[in-house]
Amino acid sequence: MSALLRVTKLTKQFPVKGSRSVIHAVNGVSFSQEAGETIGIVGESGCGKSTLGRTILRLIEPTSGKVEFDGADLAALSAAALRERRRDMQMIFQDPFASLDPRMKIGTILEEPLVVHAIGDRAARKRAVAELLDIVGLPAGAAERYPHEFSGGQRQRICIARAIALKPKLVVADEPVSALDVSIQSQILNLLAALRRELGLSYLFISHDLAVVRYISDRVAVMYLGQIVEMGSFESVYDSPKHPYTQALISAIPEPDPKPGGRQRTVLTGDVPSPEAPPSGCPFHPRCPQAMDHCRSQPPALRDLGMADSPHEVRCHLYA
């Protein structure tokens, strides 16, 4: 069975105004995703997670590399063909208030994707809006209200309803719960999990919170300075992290009931290097407590340390 999404050596660079240098936001990322699978993308702020998600959907044009979705090379599609393909690829943005037009009623916002793609007549679209509101747990009367009349959690439910309006195959969720209170986060995560089961959705779930990603993901990809440094099933990555960066991230997850002699915290020193001038060799070596001499000059390759039925890839000279 072919993958739903296949990303090959995807790179995105942004020119620096007034300079010949560029910002290396995404640097040669490759992975594949099966239909119905959820992949969590985690890492610190500025590591390229959001840029990766937007570049995959061609909301930002890639500098190089290839993105194949459902067998089609997205870069090769015309504007009309890409618009048609977007029915199967949708996005949930981090800030629900900023992504909703404050001048439009919720019913109009939810109906807009159906209008753009000429789906149904006016009566059918109104019924579809009512069904979408019901699916995400909002009353039918919400269609006549404006975004500012809702709480943050309710607005995110509206964004989710808009994302699933066209019955997509893939949803890129960019930090969908980071701006919400913890109690509301659990409601939204439960909703996303339920929609995945009921609608057969695939998620590319972007977050800096490893505890959140563990709850919803089948596989986890850890990013650092535009690269994937470790990727595997959530069990193997969380229970047996290989990369020193992943080990530090997991050690920082709060424990609800810490016990004496339990998890030891790994504290990283220094700041994340600038993506405008990434370090030579391994980009993590300036902060790595296990760095060796050749880490400073030789970039490590992504190696598979897992078994055939459970790949576990890591980009680190410790496993050369």
Side-chain angles (χ1 to χ4, degrees):
M1 183 175 63
S2 61
L4 174 67
L5 176 68
R6 192 179 300 278
V7 178
T8 307
K9 296 182 180 179
L10 188 64
T11 298
K12 179 59 186 177
Q13 299 174 348
F14 294 98
V16 178
K17 189 175 182 180
S19 171
R20 293 183 178 181
S21 61
V22 296
I23 294 174
H24 303 265
V26 177
N27 189 8
V29 169
S30 299
F31 68 92
S32 62
Q33 181 175 7
E34 301 297 329
E37 184 182 27
T38 294
I39 295 179
I41 308 290
V42 299
E44 294 170 287
S45 296
C47 72
K49 306 184 301 294
S50 295
T51 302
L52 173 63
R54 291 168 185 250
T55 306
I56 286 172
L57 296 184
R58 274 191 67 185
L59 298 178
I60 301 174
E61 291 296 328
T63 302
S64 62
K66 188 175 184 179
V67 178
E68 297 171 276
F69 178 77
D70 210 12
D73 182 356
L74 296 186
L77 297 179
S78 65
L82 180 61
R83 170 178 284 194
E84 180 65 23
R85 183 65 65 170
R86 288 200 189 282
R87 290 182 59 171
D88 294 326
M89 308 180 299
Q90 292 295 308
M91 188 162 190
I92 302 170
F93 295 93
Q94 179 176 356
D95 186 346
F97 192 58
S99 63
L100 298 173
D101 191 330
R103 300 165 298 178
M104 295 171 64
K105 291 183 178 180
I106 299 307
T108 306
I109 290 173
L110 297 183
E111 187 179 357
E112 188 175 33
L114 305 174
V115 173
V116 168
H117 290 276
I119 297 175
D121 56 20
R122 184 173 179 81
R125 292 195 295 266
K126 292 296 182 183
R127 290 194 298 270
V129 167
E131 291 173 4
L132 288 168
L133 290 171
D134 181 63
I135 288 172
V136 298
L138 292 174
E144 299 302 317
R145 295 159 63 187
Y146 290 90
H148 72 271
E149 299 180 72
F150 295 88
S151 68
Q154 290 173 322
R155 284 194 289 265
Q156 196 60 288
R157 288 174 182 268
I158 293 165
C159 292
I160 293 170
R162 180 177 58 184
I164 66 172
L166 297 173
K167 300 179 180 178
K169 297 178 181 178
L170 174 69
V171 174
V172 176
D174 185 9
E175 299 271 13
V177 298
S178 64
L180 306 176
D181 293 337
V182 174
S183 60
I184 306 301
Q185 285 185 11
S186 63
Q187 295 177 20
I188 298 301
L189 290 172
N190 288 334
L191 173 61
L192 291 172
L195 291 175
R196 176 189 174 186
R197 293 190 300 269
E198 295 167 9
L199 304 179
L201 296 175
S202 301
Y203 291 123
L204 197 61
F205 193 95
I206 298 167
S207 178
H208 66 275
D209 190 332
L210 279 85
V212 167
V213 168
R214 181 174 186 174
Y215 176 81
I216 199 168
S217 302
D218 299 307
R219 284 192 293 154
V220 176
V222 181
M223 286 190 69
Y224 185 82
L225 214 63
Q227 295 183 334
I228 291 179
V229 297
E230 186 163 359
M231 186 169 189
S233 68
F234 81 84
E235 295 99 337
S236 63
V237 171
Y238 279 81
D239 296 340
S240 182
K242 304 300 184 185
H243 198 282
Y245 178 61
T246 309
Q247 293 168 0
L249 291 181
I250 291 177
S251 76
I253 299 175
E255 293 185 82
D257 185 22
K259 296 178 175 60
R263 183 194 301 158
Q264 297 298 311
R265 178 75 187 273
T266 301
V267 180
L268 298 177
T269 59
D271 298 322
V272 179
S274 169
E276 185 178 345
S280 59
C282 174
F284 186 60
H285 85 256
R287 305 174 70 197
C288 182
Q290 303 179 62
M292 300 172 287
D293 287 342
H294 60 284
C295 296
R296 296 170 174 82
S297 58
Q298 301 175 24
L302 195 63
R303 296 179 173 86
D304 188 0
L305 306 180
M307 297 177 290
D309 60 342
S310 181
H312 188 147
E313 299 172 297
V314 61
R315 190 186 302 274
C316 183
H317 285 305
L318 292 172
Y319 306 95

